[in-house]
Amino acid sequence: MSEETYALNLSELQESLRERVRAAAAEKFGVELEQFPAEVPPRTELGDLAFPVAFELAKRIKQATGEKRNPRAIAEELKQVLESDAAVARVEVAGAGYLNLFYDRARLLAALSSSTTEATAAAPSSEDRPKRMVEHTSVNPNKAAHIGHLRNSVLGDTFVRILRANGERVEVHNYIDNTGVQVADVVVGFQHLEGMSLADVRALDASLKEDYPFDYYCWDLYARVGLFYRGGDPDAKEDPERLKLRVETLHALEEGGNATAELADYVATRIVHQHLDTMRRLGITYDLLPRESEVLHFLWSHAFERMKESGAIHFQTEGKNRGCWVMPMEGHEGSEEHEPDKVIVRSNGTITYTGKDIAYQLWKLGQVDLNFYFKPFRTEPDGHAVWTTTSNKEEAASDAPHFGAGATVYNVIDSRQSYPQEVVKRGVAAVAPQVGEAASAHLSYERVVLTPAAAEELGLELSTEEKSRTFVEMSGRRGLGVKADDFIDTLEANALREVEGRHPDIPDEEKRAAAHALAVGALRYFLMKWTRNSVIVFDFKEALSTKGEAGPYCQYAAVRANSIFRKLPNGELENAQRLIASSAAEGGEAAESVRKVFEGEIGDEIWSLVTLAARLPQVLQQSASFAEPSHLAKYTFQLAQAFNFFYNRDENRILEERDAVRRAVLVYVTDFVRTQLTSALATLGIEVPERM
RNA sequence: GCACCCGUAGCUCAGUUGGAUAGAGCGUUUGACUACGAAUCAAAAGGCCGAAGGUUCGAGUCCUUCCGGGUGCACCA
């Protein structure tokens, strides 16, 4: 390696160059720069890095001294400072005063490989790091998961992977509302519509076929209950008399220790397992499943005390909220119909959803001393243990991990809950000012809706009003939605057909594995390519596509790169790595011959591919700080696209390249790109199959 | 009424914390497979970035107003 140790990756190099600019600005112009941007020029010909800092300096100098200086002249002075860095080959002053830096391509190329292996070797997250709590999925355990739920889970899981890729310590929660209205409704269905006992439901469950499992059964049953409440007319209002069944059932669930609660527990637990099965197909797992029943029984009273002590809530003795414990929401306007205060405990003594949420959030942040009892829920095939909470002390495992006590909390919840989430954040801050609002983040996202065409494909009869709209909302009550398992099945079947056609000779097991990887790639990419606050209008044709901006496109680029290495003689990659490293270390002619490969139009193209691939750590960092996984998805696609462009050039055909140095560079670059691409895809939860 | 989100190519969307000539995919038209894999690539066409002001050396990006769409503002969960 080089005799001088300089930055190993681009962001470190960039930071050290920025430091040089900062120092030079202070020394030469007496200006202290705080934050100033460094950017990637729009085209490689313009350089690898640009500092549009001369404009800012000209302004600051004028402010300080009244002296008017030309930005170009300022840039010229900074130019020399930057050129003295060994990693910088040259600097150009462009346009009105841009400082454009060109890296020493031979040197940087050699430095990149070592930084990559370090960056992609799944940075171990040390125990003493602050813990990031991510809650996602949290699907009501009363029916099969649909595509809208998948957006939540994939978003949450991808964010978890991004945090981990940044070396963060993460704990993943999937909150289980096992005593809520939605579970109660399905119980009403079993008990009152079908006259079933727990034993009957168990027997039914055991008798159901694979293509119509329990969660699908409940999906339909739930829709029937919705219809039942409306007296059989989907457009009618809910009948208060029939709704009494719901209230009674809900009451029994909260009470516990009765047949209705037992039935509910069976339904909820059974469906949680099915949800976990569904999510596991996409590579999604959890550390802890906190259940509402335990939040109510164990956590609430302690959290309630803290809320009262801290003055975050107070008892209302008059007005509309008389008899309630409320939290004032300052800055939120009240009106005739809307009180500015938020009710936490109702006048009948029951707790609102928001109240429970604040309690749970306080626990996540280590602000409630009490701990739950934990027991193992199940172990995934890869050995990952999933835990849950329990009210039964006897069941409690003594070797449970230390859950809770996180430094920050990210809740993946759709944007309609922005206001309740705001209340939770403020509530936590009111109870625990030292934690404040900054510890709570709402990862809000827009929902998945259906095109009218997609809704009709699902067999729904649309009203003329709905047909004229651009989209139709999914509705559990109407039983309208694209079931997650159905959709994954379709994706896998389509992919299997394609693989079958291309590689009829490979073993069936490999075909199925490839089809699965492609289905996951298509689905996860499809759900991740949009920014969080963009509504996904689900269209079958688009969601099933594997062409263009899609997961399989990215996988295909990696597969093609890998297949080159299958055909390369043993040891050629290692030789290429040695050659690049030694040429950079020795300099002189050896380095010159490497530089020559990067000259000209094609050289620029190859170099731009290298710098794009090298940007992965920055993209990961940015995706984490903006909490926006779609940035990573977009980047991954761009990298795949850039590789395909490189790959399709006749001049870049590695196996036919005769020039030893050029061939070594091509091998080295291709290896670097496939490593970064594979790493980016892995962070998106997408695997690269051997063949596809 | 109040708060938040969105308005960019025919369609669906990006646009890197204010930077250089606003980009992709789909769709349309044309071309490239006895292959380092065509789930690919090349090329063409397509734009008053909702409107009007303002701040700035510089605005799709920031501020104000307006227009048009979405979502919240429960003692529901």
Side-chain angles (χ1 to χ4, degrees):
Chain A
M1 284 301 297
S2 158
E3 68 291 346
E4 190 188 340
T5 54
Y6 55 89
L8 281 179
N9 67 43
L10 283 185
S11 34
E12 286 169 19
L13 174 57
Q14 192 172 308
E15 208 37 58
S16 81
L17 291 167
R18 194 198 297 264
E19 210 39 61
R20 280 176 190 264
V21 172
R22 203 191 309 273
E27 187 196 332
K28 289 180 187 289
F29 311 111
V31 175
E32 295 294 334
L33 291 167
E34 292 85 35
Q35 284 288 318
F36 62 97
E39 58 183 46
V40 178
R43 295 185 307 282
T44 324
E45 308 92 86
L46 292 172
D48 297 311
L49 187 70
F51 288 111
V53 74
F55 310 109
E56 171 75 11
L57 281 173
K59 195 200 294 180
R60 297 275 294 267
I61 291 167
K62 195 181 167 195
Q63 277 169 5
T65 65
E67 185 190 359
K68 208 173 166 188
R69 300 198 45 174
N70 185 342
R72 269 196 86 97
I74 295 171
E76 286 292 345
E77 286 202 50
L78 294 171
K79 178 180 161 177
Q80 302 152 13
V81 178
L82 290 166
E83 274 178 338
S84 66
D85 192 301
V88 176
R90 66 176 207 281
V91 179
E92 283 178 3
V93 175
Y98 287 92
L99 270 169
N100 290 346
L101 284 70
F102 295 77
Y103 294 143
D104 180 333
R105 299 178 176 183
R107 275 183 89 111
L108 201 63
L109 190 68
L112 285 173
S113 101
S114 53
S115 74
T116 318
T117 39
E118 277 168 39
T120 52
S125 47
S126 67
E127 282 302 305
D128 52 357
R129 288 201 68 129
K131 190 157 67 175
R132 314 295 170 196
M133 316 292 279
V134 179
E135 181 196 324
H136 65 77
T137 305
S138 304
V139 184
N140 275 303
N142 75 326
K143 61 182 178 306
H146 61 59
I147 190 85
H149 300 126
L150 288 186
R151 184 179 194 182
N152 183 304
S153 305
V154 169
L155 175 64
D157 181 66
T158 306
F159 186 60
V160 167
R161 288 166 189 263
I162 289 169
L163 287 176
R164 289 191 171 137
N166 280 289
E168 298 281 5
R169 190 168 148 229
V170 186
E171 184 171 304
V172 186
H173 289 194
N174 174 6
Y175 186 80
I176 309 295
D177 186 0
N178 59 339
T179 57
V181 167
Q182 294 220 19
V183 170
D185 279 347
V186 170
V187 170
V188 166
F190 278 125
Q191 288 187 323
H192 299 278
L193 265 50
E194 312 214 306
M196 284 192 189
S197 67
L198 174 56
D200 296 334
V201 174
R202 279 181 194 274
L204 166 79
D205 189 1
S207 74
L208 289 170
K209 298 280 189 301
E210 206 178 299
D211 62 344
Y212 191 67
F214 190 68
D215 55 344
Y216 280 37
Y217 187 93
C218 290
W219 174 287
D220 291 331
L221 180 57
Y222 180 57
R224 274 160 56 207
V225 172
L227 208 53
F228 163 76
Y229 287 145
R230 284 155 209 278
D233 176 3
D235 298 322
K237 284 204 164 176
E238 291 180 325
D239 175 3
E241 205 49 46
R242 295 185 172 195
L243 280 180
K244 281 182 181 166
L245 285 174
R246 169 192 278 172
V247 178
E248 282 168 19
T249 306
L250 202 48
H251 217 73
L253 299 201
E254 282 170 8
E255 197 101 331
N258 55 66
T260 301
E262 271 180 49
L263 175 53
D265 188 53
Y266 178 83
V267 170
T269 306
R270 178 74 174 92
I271 289 184
V272 168
H273 273 290
Q274 292 190 290
H275 287 165
L276 261 58
D277 290 342
T278 302
M279 298 311 170
R280 197 183 61 213
R281 295 179 78 180
L282 302 177
I284 301 170
T285 58
Y286 312 88
D287 300 318
L288 179 66
L289 313 176
R291 304 194 308 168
E292 179 163 80
S293 44
E294 277 75 54
V295 169
L296 274 176
H297 293 152
F298 288 85
L299 201 52
W300 172 251
S301 55
H302 292 73
F304 188 37
E305 284 309 311
R306 290 224 49 193
M307 290 182 204
K308 287 192 277 194
E309 275 166 26
S310 63
I313 60 174
H314 62 266
F315 191 73
Q316 200 80 6
T317 53
E318 55 189 16
K320 200 178 159 203
N321 292 332
R322 190 155 54 96
C324 300
W325 285 89
V326 303
M327 191 177 97
M329 282 296 283
E330 275 156 34
H332 199 78
E333 294 289 317
S335 68
E336 291 283 314
E337 348 162 39
H338 302 301
E339 284 284 329
D341 295 348
K342 180 72 201 167
V343 173
I344 302 298
V345 179
R346 302 184 189 101
S347 53
N348 67 4
T350 57
I351 309 146
T352 61
Y353 193 81
T354 310
K356 289 175 214 168
D357 248 16
I358 295 173
Y360 174 39
Q361 186 101 330
L362 284 168
W363 176 77
K364 286 187 193 171
L365 290 165
Q367 298 303 311
V368 185
D369 286 336
L370 176 103
N371 225 336
F372 299 114
Y373 298 126
F374 302 103
K375 67 170 182 183
F377 186 74
R378 64 145 127 178
T379 305
E380 302 295 344
D382 65 354
H384 182 80
V386 183
W387 293 73
T388 188
T389 55
T390 174
S391 302
N392 188 345
K393 195 178 178 183
E394 252 92 277
E395 287 184 335
S398 55
D399 60 340
H402 187 65
F403 291 115
T408 47
V409 166
Y410 297 90
N411 292 329
V412 182
I413 310 178
D414 84 68
S415 64
R416 284 174 296 186
Q417 302 230 31
S418 293
Y419 177 68
Q421 279 292 301
E422 181 66 25
V423 177
V424 170
K425 179 193 280 198
R426 291 214 212 167
V428 167
V431 173
Q434 73 280 13
V435 164
E437 293 189 11
S440 308
H442 174 204
L443 241 77
S444 125
Y445 65 93
E446 273 292 350
R447 49 204 202 295
V448 181
V449 298
L450 303 170
T451 60
E456 286 185 318
E457 263 184 81
L458 290 165
L460 186 87
E461 289 193 22
L462 299 177
S463 65
T464 46
E465 193 264 331
E466 279 174 322
K467 278 183 192 165
S468 68
R469 296 190 61 146
T470 50
F471 61 81
V472 182
E473 195 137 2
M474 285 193 268
S475 160
R477 196 182 296 130
R478 290 169 78 181
L480 172 63
V482 181
K483 291 194 201 76
D485 282 319
D486 281 352
F487 192 64
I488 301 170
D489 289 345
T490 306
L491 283 164
E492 282 182 346
N494 288 355
L496 188 59
R497 249 197 317 279
E498 291 286 334
V499 173
E500 196 70 67
R502 283 157 219 258
H503 306 284
D505 300 330
I506 65 175
D508 282 354
E509 198 180 330
E510 189 185 336
K511 285 178 195 159
R512 277 196 302 274
H516 175 70
L518 289 163
V520 172
L523 182 50
R524 291 192 67 132
Y525 191 91
F526 175 77
L527 290 170
M528 268 350 302
K529 67 195 263 194
W530 328 81
T531 51
R532 286 189 281 118
N533 55 15
S534 153
V535 177
I536 298 181
V537 183
F538 184 89
D539 173 72
F540 278 103
K541 187 165 171 284
E542 193 186 359
L544 289 168
S545 171
T546 62
K547 299 182 195 309
E549 195 193 345
Y553 176 97
C554 304
Q555 292 167 304
Y556 187 55
V559 165
R560 294 212 288 191
N562 286 337
S563 76
I564 295 173
F565 287 86
R566 260 204 309 274
K567 296 182 178 173
L568 227 45
N570 268 342
E572 179 158 353
L573 172 60
E574 292 72 16
N575 286 340
Q577 287 167 336
R578 268 194 294 275
L579 188 146
I580 304 295
S582 65
S583 69
E586 289 160 21
E589 264 182 57
E592 205 46 50
S593 63
V594 171
R595 282 189 199 109
K596 261 184 101 88
V597 179
F598 290 109
E599 282 173 2
E601 193 188 334
I602 296 181
D604 276 345
E605 280 172 17
I606 301 172
W607 182 247
S608 67
L609 175 62
V610 170
T611 53
L612 182 65
R615 226 171 283 155
L616 174 60
Q618 284 169 292
V619 173
L620 287 171
Q621 201 274 325
Q622 214 166 52
S623 300
S625 60
F626 291 156
E628 186 50 275
S630 70
H631 288 162
L632 177 62
K634 289 282 176 188
Y635 166 82
T636 306
F637 175 67
Q638 276 172 25
L639 184 57
Q641 215 174 22
F643 176 76
N644 278 331
F645 179 67
F646 161 85
Y647 178 92
N648 279 293
R649 269 265 199 191
D650 286 341
E651 296 88 336
N652 296 339
R653 294 173 85 84
I654 292 172
L655 298 178
E656 289 162 26
E657 180 61 53
R658 295 304 184 85
D659 181 290
V661 173
R662 188 160 198 280
R663 179 162 166 138
V665 170
L666 294 179
V667 166
Y668 184 100
V669 167
T670 303
D671 182 56
F672 178 58
V673 172
R674 69 169 174 158
T675 307
Q676 299 293 80
L677 185 55
T678 305
S679 172
L681 282 167
T683 308
L684 291 169
I686 299 172
E687 286 177 351
V688 177
E690 188 62 28
R691 294 183 181 79
M692 62 184 274

